[in-house]
Amino acid sequence: MTDPSEELQQRLERVLLGGRRKYTRLEVAEKAGVPDERSRRLWRALGFATVRDDEVVFTDADVEAMRTADQLVQSGLIDPSIEVSVTRALGQHLSRLAEWQVDMLWQLIRDQPELGRSERQVTRLVDRLLPELEQVQNFVWRRHLAAYAGRAFAASDEHLEARTEVVGFVDMVGYTRLTRQIGEDELSRVLDAFETLATEVIAEHHGRVVKMIGDEVLFVADTPVDAAEIALTLTERTSADETLPAVRAGMASGRILSRFGDVYGSVVNLAARLTSVARPGTILVDRELATELAEEKAYDLRPRRPVTVRGYNRLRPAALRRASAAPTGMFASSQQLAAEMLGLTAAAAEAEPADERVEHGEGHTEAGPRRRRRRRLR
């Protein structure tokens, strides 16, 4: 007698896989005209467990997919040397999407038990939702294709894999401690709120989310101003939200290697190191980005004392803030007069002393005491 759960799984598979399992891996390779060893590599690259040669697990859809993949390589669209890498990236991204969608489906059934009163009803639900999910995914994919294609053709003189970008990390402060203090439901809510906010802000300012890493978001932006607005807005909005922890950020500008949706290079490492030494509510930028933003009147860049972190000796960051409005009228005149009486320039009178940072091992710093010299009026 068939186990009810196994019968449900078989029904769902027929809906999701487009038919019954009826081929072995060798039969799929033969029907698609793909060499045996190559089909094995592609299957593993997609993230699926290796199956025995005599195990019947494949459908007609698998044959067609293998044939289509082979045609892409034969046409020259995908270089044979990166075929496995492309397949691996595709498998990794889509497996995460599938896991989220299945979780969403079961949450829907838990919230509305009438949708899952029988196995047949669950199967019908999946059968109805699948085309709608595919339609939405296809729309989003095409919109992203249009966005990236426009960007690529606009900068056709620059190599798409290795190009100049601003890389930024923004992470929640005290996340490890937070996980010990709240339950799973509350933690899920915090992560969802942070991810939603980060995604919205980065999109609003023309950046791109590379990936969410737990309590941290890694993003890239084409221009220094876009990157500055992303980091500043995220910092401001999390500070205003009492339900979210404070954040800190690190950004660096330079050449990066973009590969299969991820980014690599010394600029990425530098941005990560700057984040590790930033204080809550602080945005640290490297010298290159500070220079690029120096002429922008909307921002204030305050040099910080050199710090040493893993891979970088005596790193000289600057703290990025929004520029405060300059004093005008009578107040400006009185401030200038006071500065002259004290023997200071106006710039020195307005400047805020940089925080002294004391190194405590690899990648960890704490703020030292602030010292301000005062002149006594006699």
Side-chain angles (χ1 to χ4, degrees), residues 244-260:
L244 288 176
V247 299
R248 57 183 181 174
M251 298 193 297
S253 177
R255 300 282 289 180
I256 63 169
L257 172 64
S258 181
R259 191 170 185 270
F260 305 119

Side-chain angles (χ1 to χ4, degrees), residues 5-274:
S5 62
E6 184 177 340
E7 183 178 348
L8 174 59
Q9 182 179 358
Q10 291 173 355
R11 286 179 179 174
L12 290 176
E13 281 185 353
R14 285 196 293 274
V15 173
L16 296 172
L17 300 181
R20 295 181 179 274
R21 298 173 182 253
K22 56 183 179 180
Y23 301 121
T24 66
R25 185 186 59 79
L26 293 177
E27 288 172 336
V28 169
E30 181 181 359
K31 287 180 175 294
V34 177
D36 169 35
E37 183 56 33
R38 182 163 162 235
S39 70
R40 188 195 305 271
R41 288 198 309 270
L42 293 177
W43 181 252
R44 286 199 298 259
L46 284 170
F48 301 121
T50 302
V51 297
R52 298 192 309 272
D53 290 345
D54 61 347
E55 194 171 354
V56 179
V57 296
F58 299 100
T59 69
D60 289 320
D62 292 306
V63 175
E64 187 60 32
M66 185 68 70
R67 185 181 293 123
T68 302
D70 182 60
Q71 290 172 351
L72 289 174
V73 174
Q74 298 301 330
S75 69
L77 181 62
I78 298 178
D79 191 288
S81 64
I82 63 169
E83 178 186 31
V84 172
S85 298
V86 171
T87 305
R88 185 184 304 113
L90 188 65
Q92 289 173 351
H93 289 292
L94 291 184
S95 67
R96 294 182 60 192
L97 180 63
E99 181 180 6
W100 166 75
Q101 289 173 340
V102 170
D103 288 344
M104 180 182 65
L105 174 62
W106 289 125
Q107 184 62 48
L108 177 65
I109 294 174
R110 283 195 296 269
D111 293 342
Q112 303 181 51
E114 67 275 8
L115 296 176
R117 286 175 181 167
S118 68
E119 296 167 3
R120 190 176 299 276
Q121 196 164 357
V122 172
T123 306
R124 283 202 299 267
L125 174 64
V126 173
D127 195 18
R128 191 180 78 241
L129 289 178
L130 192 62
E132 296 180 6
L133 283 174
E134 288 178 335
Q135 186 176 4
V136 171
Q137 287 173 189
N138 190 51
F139 167 76
V140 174
W141 171 63
R142 285 178 176 272
R143 291 294 300 182
H144 280 298
L145 278 180
Y148 289 125
R151 182 182 304 168
F153 286 111
S156 56
D157 57 334
E158 188 170 21
H159 198 281
L160 291 181
E161 282 193 351
R163 60 189 186 276
T164 300
E165 294 255 55
V166 179
V167 178
F169 286 88
V170 179
D171 76 347
M172 290 188 287
V173 178
Y175 174 76
T176 302
R177 184 175 63 255
L178 180 67
T179 59
R180 297 195 295 263
Q181 296 173 344
I182 62 177
E184 292 181 357
D185 291 342
E186 180 65 13
L187 178 60
S188 178
R189 190 204 62 76
V190 170
L191 290 173
D192 184 61
F194 175 67
E195 184 170 344
T196 299
L197 177 60
T199 303
E200 290 177 354
V201 170
I202 292 169
E204 285 172 4
H205 297 287
H206 314 291
R208 177 171 69 86
V209 175
V210 178
K211 55 187 173 183
M212 301 293 301
I213 315 169
D215 61 325
E216 185 174 54
V217 60
L218 166 59
F219 69 90
V220 294
D222 291 337
T223 71
V225 170
D226 286 338
E229 285 301 320
I230 289 170
L232 286 165
T233 305
L234 265 176
T235 303
E236 292 161 355
R237 291 181 63 177
T238 52
S239 177
D241 189 338
E242 295 181 355
T243 66
L244 288 176
V247 299
R248 57 183 181 174
M251 298 193 297
S253 177
R255 300 282 289 180
I256 63 169
L257 172 64
S258 181
R259 191 170 185 270
F260 305 119
D262 210 339
V263 291
Y264 306 87
S266 60
V267 173
V268 182
N269 296 334
L270 180 53
R273 301 293 183 266
L274 288 172

